[in-house]
Amino acid sequence: MTKNVTISAAIALLLISGAATAISPAYGCSFSNDPYFTYSNHPDFPLKEFAAGELGILQPGYARSYLLAAYRYLDGKPLSKPEQQAMVSLWNKRLAPSYDSCSTDTSTWLKARATVPGASKLDTIYTERGISAEEPWQTYCNCQTPAFIKAAETLNLLVGKFGAASNEVKDWLAAQDKVFSNCSDQAGKEKATTGNIPAPLPANANEALVKQRAYQIAAANFYSQKFEAAQKEFNAIANDTASPWREIAPYLAVRAMLRQASLGKTAEKSRLLEAQKRLEHLLSDPSHQEMKADLTALHDYIQARVAPEQHLLDLTRQPLTEQSASETTKTIDLLLGTDDTESSNEIKYDALPDSVRKSDAIDWMLTFQSGDDAATAHALERWKQTSSLPWLVAAISKVKAVSPDAAN
């Protein structure tokens, strides 16, 4: 592609090549039965075709994750098969209808729990909790699916060792019910303030059960927002070579630190930096490699808040994965001060911070989404500077047919 290709000629070429896509009827994400002939925030289905490079006519309203993939193709760097699969997986998850911000699956635990003779009937566990007693209407997903799966596994192990009808299993189950009762503050402000914490076992109790109870106490404190106590207890478990929870405890201690920081009025930078240091130590420890994905996700969370500009640049240099693509859009939102990773939010290019313009891919994406004169001028300038296809497409999307720049 060279500069002697005029914008008006390129427009005609792109309109011809995209005509089939443009006239194909499709239904948007809506509860209405009315048909829509184009999607406003994502490409036509099936999305795997878009991920494979069949871009059609790009729309400025596309979510940034789609434009991230489009830039790669326009820049002559097609997505690998694993990258295509990762992007389709991300898009499917983001497009899936959700009416509950906390989609925790408790079924595995409830089924395992029901196998204990005499266990009280329990059909539902609420897993969302108010950020604070002062702001109960603002909630977060407190208890997540892996916790319930792990609890079911632990119960099955104890049943195998002591028997389903044993006092040991029933006592452990009663304590675990207390742990999960802290997932939600449905019972009101009193429980939210005091928490429902299992009592420690006596020193002469079965050693394995003592270790299990220590973990239950730490988890109950975490779920009931007693984060300082949870950190202390998880750290103690991490130093206990006999505890079956020793490997995961350091990770949970960091999660307690981050939960405390994120639920506060402001995320304390010193606390985030301390958590980051601990995570980097765990990431370098071969014994924690099985947890690498979880540790990396927490590390990304911190990096996006202590050094978002560098974090964004680092992400654009990585292969596209579900995590990196998701993290890229979230970091952009953080830098722009928006809370919607899936829309352009009527971006004004001249109001963008310099921090999001340092990567050509991000600069192109936000220019393409922007609708002001500054975006048009920038797209033209970058096209003249680079003669690249991404910036030609951006310029085409901005310049009107009557503009003198249409012939350039």
Side-chain angles (χ1 to χ4, degrees):
M1 185 65 65
T2 60
K3 287 185 182 177
N4 61 3
V5 176
T6 66
I7 289 180
S8 56
I11 290 173
L13 177 62
L14 289 178
L15 286 176
I16 292 171
S17 65
T21 302
I23 63 174
S24 175
Y27 291 86
C29 295
S30 170
F31 293 106
S32 169
N33 290 322
D34 298 330
Y36 292 84
F37 290 91
T38 60
Y39 292 102
S40 61
N41 64 354
H42 63 79
D44 288 344
F45 295 115
L47 294 175
K48 66 179 182 180
E49 294 181 358
F50 186 86
E54 297 182 28
L55 304 183
I57 298 177
L58 297 177
Q59 303 291 335
Y62 281 1
R64 292 169 196 146
S65 54
Y66 300 104
L67 297 179
L68 197 62
Y71 176 86
R72 283 279 301 273
Y73 283 102
L74 296 175
D75 197 37
K77 299 172 183 176
L79 303 187
S80 66
K81 286 292 184 182
E83 287 179 318
Q84 292 177 35
Q85 292 166 0
M87 295 306 293
V88 171
S89 177
L90 174 65
W91 296 333
N92 285 338
K93 287 178 181 177
R94 288 186 168 181
L95 288 173
S98 176
Y99 309 100
D100 186 352
S101 61
C102 194
S103 55
T104 302
D105 182 0
T106 63
S107 60
T108 301
W109 163 246
L110 292 174
K111 288 177 183 177
R113 183 184 180 280
T115 64
V116 177
S120 60
K121 184 176 175 57
L122 184 61
D123 297 320
T124 303
I125 299 177
Y126 294 100
T127 55
E128 282 191 83
R129 188 182 179 96
I131 287 178
S132 66
E134 294 76 25
E135 299 176 305
W137 58 88
Q138 293 187 351
T139 63
Y140 64 97
C141 191
N142 192 17
C143 299
Q144 300 181 23
T145 302
F148 293 98
I149 293 175
K150 200 66 180 177
E153 292 174 355
T154 303
L155 176 57
N156 291 333
L157 286 173
L158 294 176
V159 167
K161 183 174 183 177
F162 298 104
S166 66
N167 289 330
E168 288 86 352
V169 166
K170 291 180 178 180
D171 188 53
W172 180 91
L173 178 60
Q176 193 62 35
D177 281 344
K178 286 188 176 183
V179 173
F180 287 146
S181 73
N182 295 291
C183 292
S184 172
D185 46 13
Q186 292 281 324
K189 293 182 178 180
E190 182 179 350
K191 190 184 78 172
T193 302
T194 62
N196 197 11
I197 315 299
L201 288 178
N204 63 350
N206 178 280
E207 183 180 7
L209 294 175
V210 170
K211 305 301 181 186
Q212 291 291 346
R213 181 58 55 85
Y215 179 78
Q216 289 176 316
I217 292 170
N221 277 305
F222 177 79
Y223 292 138
S224 63
Q225 300 181 344
K226 298 181 181 298
F227 299 116
E228 296 286 354
Q231 289 171 52
K232 182 178 179 181
E233 288 150 2
F234 283 132
N235 285 332
I237 293 170
N239 292 323
D240 183 356
T241 58
S243 174
W245 302 100
R246 180 173 180 251
E247 295 299 329
I248 198 174
Y251 162 77
L252 294 172
V254 173
R255 280 195 61 198
M257 294 175 67
L258 294 182
R259 183 67 64 84
Q260 184 175 21
S262 65
L263 294 184
K265 297 297 183 183
T266 57
E268 301 174 38
K269 189 170 183 179
S270 60
R271 188 178 297 277
L272 291 175
L273 289 172
E274 182 184 352
Q276 183 181 47
K277 186 176 180 180
R278 291 193 186 188
L279 282 170
E280 288 171 352
H281 173 73
L282 294 174
L283 282 166
S284 66
D285 186 345
S287 66
H288 288 90
Q289 287 308 297
E290 290 186 2
M291 299 176 60
K292 185 175 181 180
D294 292 324
L295 294 170
T296 299
L298 288 186
H299 191 270
D300 284 345
Y301 174 89
I302 297 171
Q303 191 70 2
R305 285 152 182 80
V306 299
E309 181 179 322
Q310 184 59 48
H311 185 49
L312 189 58
L313 283 173
D314 291 342
L315 287 167
T316 58
R317 299 183 184 119
Q318 299 176 15
L320 282 179
T321 64
E322 236 184 286
Q323 172 65 19
S324 70
S326 177
E327 190 66 21
T328 297
T329 59
K330 289 178 182 178
T331 304
I332 292 171
D333 286 331
L334 194 64
L335 285 164
L336 297 184
T338 62
D339 59 3
D340 184 358
T341 62
E342 290 299 291
S343 71
S344 64
N345 295 292
E346 299 182 351
I347 294 168
K348 303 298 182 185
Y349 187 82
D350 59 358
L352 294 176
D354 291 337
S355 55
V356 296
R357 307 185 200 201
K358 295 188 177 182
S359 160
D360 191 69
I362 307 303
D363 188 23
W364 174 84
M365 182 192 310
L366 296 177
T367 302
F368 189 73
Q369 286 188 320
S370 302
D372 57 358
D373 292 340
T376 302
H378 183 65
L380 283 166
E381 181 184 9
R382 291 295 292 147
W383 156 239
K384 293 173 183 177
Q385 290 173 345
T386 66
S387 300
S388 68
L389 184 56
W391 288 106
L392 173 60
V393 171
I396 288 171
S397 73
K398 306 296 177 192
V399 176
K400 296 179 181 179
V402 296
S403 170
D405 291 306
N408 295 330

